[in-house]
Amino acid sequence: MFKTALQRLTLWYLCIIMLLSVGFSISLYNVSTRELNDSQKQLESLLEQSFFPGMRAPNNFQEFNRVRLQQIVDSRNKIKWNLISYNIVIVLAGAAASYFLAKRTLEPIESNLEAQARFTSDASHELRTPLTAMKSEIEVALRSDELSIKDAKNLLTSNLEEIDKLESLSAGLLKLAQNDKTLPVEPCPINEIIEEAQGRVESAAKLKQISFQIKTDDEVVMGERWSLVELFSLLLDNAIKYSPKQTKILIAAETKPRTKQVGISIQDHGYGIAATDIPHIFDRFYRADRSRSKEVIPGYGLGLSIAKKIVDLHHGRIEVHSQLGKGSKFTIWLPVV
Ligand code: ADP
């Protein structure tokens, strides 16, 4: 599909270039031969007329006019052939330039389509995994002749877990698919946002005996309250997921009056991220190597893509500093009120 689009666009660009070039050449030819045409007409009439009434023009004068007439014809032919060769060069150079331009034009569309296709295939794969697990569990249970109430309950509990996974996956996909261009922003006190986000991850933190240390003042940022709560919940959730038990998470905020921004950082003392993984962690479905932690950490690799999308919608910035085995620090820069 791309090959034909590329060929068509190249052809269109070439047509435009040739239309301009041929148009320019025709006008140039008309302008530059107008005077030659006038002179040619004068010379022709001189050659046909007698020099004085009743007298023939001297031979050398007629010869001179004939030479001049030939020069005019030659000059016009020269202009014509020069313009034709110029247009042949333009066709060749224009074809190469058009191909290059068409390729440059289509490149972002092509990479966008590729990313979309990858996203769709990753999403289908992730959606299929829990469905396959549920299907095979149900099939095994149906084949069994002695399915007790206890077995049935176990099956339903396991199916419910898979449904929860599917629910969170489809919620993540929906958030990424939403095409919000702008958000209704309002002044949001950071303390309140962090408190709300902390409430959402409290049970997970308790389970791992992870405590929070909060160092914020009265910073207020411009943003959409619930998106910001979602953003910090995602970062806190990751900080908990990728930290061992009984560690601390530090949440701090600082204002940079010069850039009119507030930086809110979430620092954990967890497993950290390898330098080679850092450039990819915001990609959809990207999950770094988990072999360094012994526990199986749930997730689909969508959290940071959603976080990045929220930050972008706020015209903010997200920074990551991380060291394997020491921990990670995510800093979000948002516009101050
Ligand atoms: P998920 O957590 O579902 O895998 P994310 O998009 O939230 O997806 O994160 C992408 C990857 O970035 C994770 O798989 C993990 O390897 C890494 N990561 C994110 N946050 C942290 C963190 N605080 N500490 C260590 N690794 C992290």
Side-chain angles (χ1 to χ4, degrees), residues 128-160:
R128 218 175 48 193
T129 313
L131 285 175
T132 314
M134 272 163 64
K135 191 176 168 213
S136 55
E137 277 174 2
I138 294 170
E139 275 171 358
V140 170
L142 284 178
R143 254 186 262 128
S144 151
D145 296 331
E146 299 138 17
L147 185 73
S148 65
I149 293 284
K150 195 173 160 238
D151 292 338
K153 274 193 175 169
N154 283 343
L155 169 76
L156 289 176
T157 314
S158 159
N159 277 188
L160 208 58

Side-chain angles (χ1 to χ4, degrees), residues 238 241-242 268 272-273 281 286-288 299-304 328:
N238 274 354
K241 272 197 312 189
Y242 300 104
D268 62 57
I273 310 165
I281 55 174
Y286 186 84
R287 302 206 75 202
Y300 292 104
L302 291 180
L304 286 180
S328 312

